[in-house]
């Protein structure tokens, strides 16, 4: 396998429907992408082993020449280390198992001792120097997730990378494995969160704390892209550790498993309401509180200016007529009183005439 083919494992493909990039003006939103392509639902047919999300360009970018030179130099170092370890494995004088009586050490013990010497630890240090010298320091945090949880974990990491807590770190890209064609029970999906320089301990630790505090993840370790190119895994014959950082080499185990970071995440998770999803966006514009009207009522039209003035004039005339009517009514009352007074006077005079006259006594 050529170095170019090896590097494709950690290179995000361009113009691929299974890769979303914020920097390339994507045709669909991140939410749409995450909903459309779920790692638990996408099956790899040989053309889509990964789903990718790229938030930004790395702060430290490598060159093709540097990567090629690093791989070439590292291959020589790896072959030498592998040969030395194999010689220990094939040495018949070294027993497979240790013997307490004779003090003979097993192949495993000799190999572990050799790792403390310039065989494995020394080879790892040389690989680090080669990577830094050639500017090929990119790598990733490794996370494993079950098929039941991978969709939610992947969505959370992707959103965090684009405009969440991870966006404040050096992390710039992430990918997740899709379902293999021959998926077996209890399959684990691997997630990779990429950083430009995995030998920067502070930067790597910062990303680690975000993944613990805001995502509650179980972290496996940090692997360089150079190790991926060299096919260094846990079963590599050289015995070189497949990761340059373990979580416990950056933080204490008690801080990782039962520390404040993950505890805070799970406490927040437990405190969230069951239905905490935001309501779906309405296609119709919302009515403002000032102009909103019930559906069965229509707003009353405003009176025209001319009509309003006419009504004001009519009201003025109406008030004048009311005053005139009041005066007329008062005059009628006065005249009526006069008539009644005259009538009473006339009645009184008539009564006087009808009374009998008194007889006068004669003298």
């Amino acid at each position: 396998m050529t170095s170019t083919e090896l590097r494709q494992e950690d290179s995000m493909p361009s113009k691929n429907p299974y890769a979303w990039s914020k920097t390339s003006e994507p045709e669909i939103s991140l939410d749409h992408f995450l909903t459309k392509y779920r790692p638990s639902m996408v099956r790899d047919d040989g053309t889509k082993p990964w789903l990718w999300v790229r938030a930004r360009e790395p702060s430290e970018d490598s060159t093709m020449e540097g990567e090629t030179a690093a791989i070439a130099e590292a291959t020589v170092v790896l072959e030498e280390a592998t040969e030395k370890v194999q010689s220990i494995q094939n040495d018949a004088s070294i027993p497979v198992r240790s013997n307490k009586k004779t003090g003979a050490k097993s192949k495993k013990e000799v190999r572990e001792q050799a790792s403390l010497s310039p065989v494995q630890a020394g080879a790892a240090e040389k690989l680090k120097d080669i990577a830094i010298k050639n500017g090929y320091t990119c790598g990733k945090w490794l996370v494993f997730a079950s098929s039941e949880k991978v969709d939610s974990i992947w969505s959370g990491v992707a959103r965090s990378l684009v405009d969440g807590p991870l966006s404040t770190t050096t992390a710039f890209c992430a990918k997740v494995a899709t379902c293999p064609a021959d998926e077996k029970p209890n399959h684990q999906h691997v997630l990779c969160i990429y950083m430009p320089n995995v030998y920067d301990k502070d930067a790597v630790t910062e990303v680690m704390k975000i993944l613990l505090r805001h995502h509650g993840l179980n972290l496996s370790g940090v692997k360089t892209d150079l190790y991926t190119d060299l096919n260094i895994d846990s079963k590599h014959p050289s015995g070189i550790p497949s990761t340059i950082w373990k979580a416990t080499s950056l933080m204490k185990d008690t801080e990782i498993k039962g520390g404040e970071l993950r505890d805070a995440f799970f406490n927040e998770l437990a405190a969230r309401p069951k239905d905490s999803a935001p309501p779906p966006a309405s296609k119709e514009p919302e009515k403002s509180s000032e102009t909103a009207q019930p559906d069965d009522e229509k707003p009353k039209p405003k009176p025209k200016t001319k009509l309003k003035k006419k009504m004001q004039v009519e009201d003025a005339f109406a008030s004048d007529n009311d005053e005139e009517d009041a005066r007329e009514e008062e005059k009628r009352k006065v005249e009526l009183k006069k008539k009644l007074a005259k009538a009473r006077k006339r009645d009184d005079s008539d009564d006087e005439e009808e009374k009998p006259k008194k007889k006068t006594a004669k003298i």
Side-chain angles (χ1 to χ4, degrees):
M1 184 178 292
T2 65
S3 60
T4 302
E5 291 173 331
L6 285 170
R7 284 197 298 275
Q8 290 177 353
E9 180 76 10
D10 290 305
S11 299
M12 177 173 163
S14 59
K15 296 182 179 180
N16 186 318
Y18 302 98
W20 186 94
S21 175
K22 184 178 181 179
T23 57
S24 62
E25 298 182 1
E27 296 180 357
I28 62 175
S29 67
L30 177 61
D31 287 342
H32 187 184
F33 175 81
L34 295 174
T35 302
K36 186 175 182 180
Y37 301 114
R38 300 180 181 181
S40 67
M41 302 299 291
V42 178
R43 190 163 299 279
D44 179 25
D45 57 1
T47 62
K48 45 183 180 291
W50 303 99
L51 298 176
W52 294 80
V53 167
R54 190 183 189 95
R56 62 195 66 84
E57 295 300 323
S59 56
E60 301 176 29
D61 202 3
S62 59
T63 63
M64 184 66 70
E65 293 77 10
E67 293 177 14
T68 303
I71 293 172
E73 293 180 39
T75 300
V76 175
V77 172
L78 184 61
E79 288 176 351
E80 292 176 353
T82 302
E83 185 178 348
K84 290 180 180 180
V85 171
Q86 288 293 324
S87 65
I88 295 173
Q89 290 281 58
N90 298 328
D91 191 343
S93 64
I94 302 176
V96 176
R97 295 177 177 82
S98 61
N99 191 320
K100 293 183 179 180
K101 292 182 179 180
T102 61
K105 296 180 180 180
S106 67
K107 291 183 183 293
K108 181 180 179 182
E109 289 174 327
V110 173
R111 189 167 65 249
E112 287 176 349
Q113 281 188 350
S115 68
L116 300 177
S117 67
V119 176
Q120 291 169 323
E125 191 64 27
K126 289 180 181 179
L127 294 176
K128 174 183 175 180
D129 294 339
I130 291 171
I132 294 174
K133 181 182 69 174
N134 292 282
Y136 191 25
T137 58
C138 187
K140 56 269 182 185
W141 267 108
L142 301 176
V143 179
F144 291 89
S146 65
S147 297
E148 293 77 16
K149 297 181 179 179
V150 66
D151 290 347
S152 61
I153 291 176
W154 166 241
S155 296
V157 169
R159 291 189 177 96
S160 178
L161 185 71
V162 173
D163 56 10
L166 278 175
S167 66
T168 63
T169 69
T170 59
F172 65 93
C173 185
K175 71 178 181 182
V176 61
T178 56
C179 298
D182 56 345
E183 184 177 359
K184 298 177 182 179
N186 302 320
H187 174 71
Q188 294 280 308
H189 296 254
V190 62
L191 287 84
C192 301
I193 298 94
Y194 284 86
M195 300 159 287
N197 185 0
V198 290
Y199 292 105
D200 184 341
K201 185 177 180 180
D202 292 339
V204 171
T205 304
E206 182 185 17
V207 174
M208 176 185 180
K209 289 180 178 179
I210 294 292
L211 294 174
L212 292 173
R213 170 62 182 84
H214 295 279
H215 301 280
L217 300 180
N218 289 317
L219 305 175
S220 177
V222 177
K223 187 173 185 176
T224 71
D225 289 356
L226 179 60
Y227 278 28
T228 302
D229 293 340
L230 298 174
N231 288 325
I232 297 177
D233 56 19
S234 59
K235 298 179 180 180
H236 195 274
S238 68
I240 296 175
S242 59
T243 56
I244 64 168
W245 299 110
K246 290 288 186 184
T248 51
S249 62
L250 299 171
M251 294 177 63
K252 294 180 180 179
D253 190 53
T254 53
E255 294 177 330
I256 297 170
K257 294 182 178 179
E260 296 180 357
L261 296 175
R262 293 191 75 206
D263 283 351
F265 168 77
F266 286 110
N267 288 338
E268 285 184 2
L269 193 64
R272 291 177 189 171
K274 292 182 179 180
D275 187 12
S276 59
S282 174
K283 294 182 180 179
E284 298 180 359
E286 295 183 358
K287 299 176 181 178
S288 67
S289 58
E290 297 179 357
T291 60
Q293 296 287 341
D295 294 337
D296 56 347
E297 293 183 11
K298 294 182 180 180
K300 296 180 180 180
K302 294 182 179 180
K304 295 182 179 180
T305 306
K306 291 183 179 180
L307 180 60
K308 186 175 181 180
K309 289 183 178 179
K310 182 179 179 182
M311 292 174 65
Q312 290 175 348
V313 172
E314 290 178 351
D315 290 342
F317 280 119
S319 61
D320 292 341
N321 292 335
D322 290 342
E323 292 178 2
E324 187 175 351
D325 291 342
R327 287 195 295 270
E328 290 292 333
E329 182 67 22
E330 188 66 26
K331 287 173 68 176
R332 284 195 294 270
K333 288 181 179 180
V334 172
E335 290 178 357
L336 181 60
K337 286 181 180 180
K338 289 180 179 180
K339 290 180 180 180
L340 289 174
K342 288 180 180 180
R344 288 194 192 98
K345 188 175 181 180
R346 187 169 53 251
D347 291 341
D348 291 342
S349 61
D350 292 342
D351 291 340
E352 288 292 332
E353 292 178 357
E354 291 178 358
K355 288 180 180 180
K357 295 180 180 180
K358 293 181 180 180
K359 294 180 179 179
T360 58
K362 292 181 178 178
I363 301 175

